[in-house]
Amino acid sequence: MSDYYVPRGGLPPQTALTTDRARFTEAYAVIPARTLSDITASFLPGWVNTRLWVLARPLSGFAETFSQYVVEVSPGGGSDRTEPDPEAEGVLFVVDGSLTLTVDGGEHALGPGSYAFLPPGTSWTIANETGATATFHWIRKAYQRVEGLEVPPAFVTREQDVTPADMPGTGGAWSTTRFVDVADLRHDMHVNIVNFRPGASIPFPETHVMEHGLYVLEGKAVYLLNEDWVEVEAGDFMWLRAFCPQACYAGGPGPFRYLLYKDVNRHVSL
C-alpha cells in the first residue's frame, strides 16, 4: 500500500525563500504543495468543521470542464448538503483518515484509497465520526447527457482492490489504475491513478484534446509541460489545457504516482 501526500496547512516560516515553482501560463499551471497553506484555504456553506483548497475551477480561455478540491474534514465535520448542482457528477478519493459516506440511503466506510463515483442527482452526505482529521479529493464535472445512454450508477471501491493495467511495452514500469471500464461510454470523465517505477517515463509528448488535472500522490519527477521541463513532487498539482504537450521522467528513489482527471467520450461542442 502506497502513501498518499496529505496537505496540513500552516504557513511557511518567515525565513523561507519566496522563490518557488508556482507557474500560471496560457497552456498550464503548477500549484506547488506548499501553496496549500492556511491563508489559501476556503470554506463552503452547508459544511461544518471543514475547510478545502480549490485546485481547479473553470476559467474562460483556459481549462473549462472541471473543478477539483482537496477537502479537510475535522472530527465531527462533514455535510448533509454536499453538491448544490443537480447536473454535477463527482468523484471522491480519500487520502487520509476515515469518513462515513451515505449514498441514496446506503452507508459506506471510507479510508485511505477509497474511491466513490457520484452521478448527477445523487443524494449523498459525508461525515467524520472519528477523533482524527480526514482528507479527500473531490472532482466535479457537469455531466454531458447523451440520448440512448443511461447515466452510470454510483459506486464505491478502493485502489487496493483494483489491479493496475500495464501500459503496452513497458513491462509494468508505467501503469494505470482505472476505476471505470474505458469501453463504458456512459462515463464522460475518467479519474485514474497513473503509476511509474523509478526511472520510467512517458516517452513522447502527449498532445491531445483532453484537459487534465494531475495531483501528485507520491514521489517526484521532471514533467514536460508545453515547452518547459518542471520538477514536481508529492503534493504538487498540475492543470493542463487541452492540447498542452506533456511527458515525464520519474525521478525515484521510490514510485511516482498521481491522481489524473480527464474528460472523455463526448462529441466536441461547437
Side-chain angles (χ1 to χ4, degrees):
M1 172 62 183
S2 298
D3 292 329
Y4 305 117
Y5 183 90
V6 182
R8 299 298 184 189
L11 283 173
Q14 291 290 292
T15 54
L17 295 178
T18 302
T19 304
D20 204 351
R21 295 170 294 111
R23 300 190 184 189
F24 188 85
T25 75
E26 63 182 15
Y28 71 88
V30 177
I31 301 175
R34 76 168 183 169
T35 301
L36 306 189
S37 68
D38 288 350
I39 62 172
T40 59
S42 299
F43 301 88
L44 292 177
W47 290 75
V48 298
N49 295 340
T50 300
R51 66 176 180 174
L52 67 150
W53 291 278
V54 178
L55 299 177
R57 53 162 290 182
L59 292 176
S60 177
F62 193 69
E64 298 175 346
T65 62
F66 77 111
S67 70
Q68 184 163 346
Y69 307 153
V70 180
V71 184
E72 180 186 88
V73 186
S74 296
S79 178
D80 58 6
R81 292 188 290 132
T82 50
E83 176 54 70
D85 186 343
E87 289 303 309
E89 60 188 321
V91 163
L92 313 182
F93 184 74
V94 180
V95 292
D96 189 43
S98 299
L99 294 159
T100 300
L101 172 69
T102 302
V103 181
D104 292 330
E107 280 195 1
H108 302 269
L110 306 183
S114 291
Y115 180 108
F117 171 74
L118 305 165
T122 300
S123 174
W124 64 279
T125 68
I126 198 160
N128 182 352
E129 300 170 337
T130 75
T133 298
T135 304
F136 67 95
H137 287 257
W138 181 7
I139 297 170
R140 304 167 62 236
K141 180 182 181 298
Y143 184 70
Q144 294 175 265
R145 298 177 185 271
V146 175
E147 185 177 357
L149 287 178
E150 296 179 353
V151 175
F155 69 85
V156 177
T157 185
R158 301 189 310 156
E159 184 197 358
Q160 299 91 321
D161 299 330
V162 179
T163 301
D166 294 349
M167 300 301 284
T170 67
W174 172 17
S175 64
T176 302
T177 305
R178 295 189 175 99
F179 298 95
V180 170
D181 185 346
V182 295
D184 187 346
L185 298 185
R186 296 176 300 174
H187 287 274
D188 68 351
M189 75 169 175
H190 289 167
V191 178
N192 304 324
I193 295 176
V194 182
N195 314 284
F196 295 91
R197 295 176 185 166
S201 68
I202 298 176
F204 69 102
E206 293 187 34
T207 308
H208 51 64
V209 69
M210 294 170 284
E211 71 172 346
H212 280 337
L214 294 82
Y215 183 89
V216 182
L217 296 169
E218 182 180 6
K220 64 178 181 177
V222 181
Y223 220 97
L224 175 66
L225 298 168
N226 198 18
E227 299 178 342
D228 305 318
W229 286 96
V230 179
E231 285 190 295
V232 294
E233 64 180 355
D236 291 350
F237 180 73
M238 291 168 277
W239 195 9
L240 281 61
R241 191 175 183 175
F243 299 108
C244 175
Q246 60 168 304
C248 77
Y249 287 95
F256 173 63
R257 297 169 8 98
Y258 53 80
L259 187 69
L260 171 71
Y261 160 88
K262 58 182 177 181
D263 51 313
V264 295
N265 299 338
R266 291 297 183 267
H267 276 293
V268 175
S269 298
L270 302 178

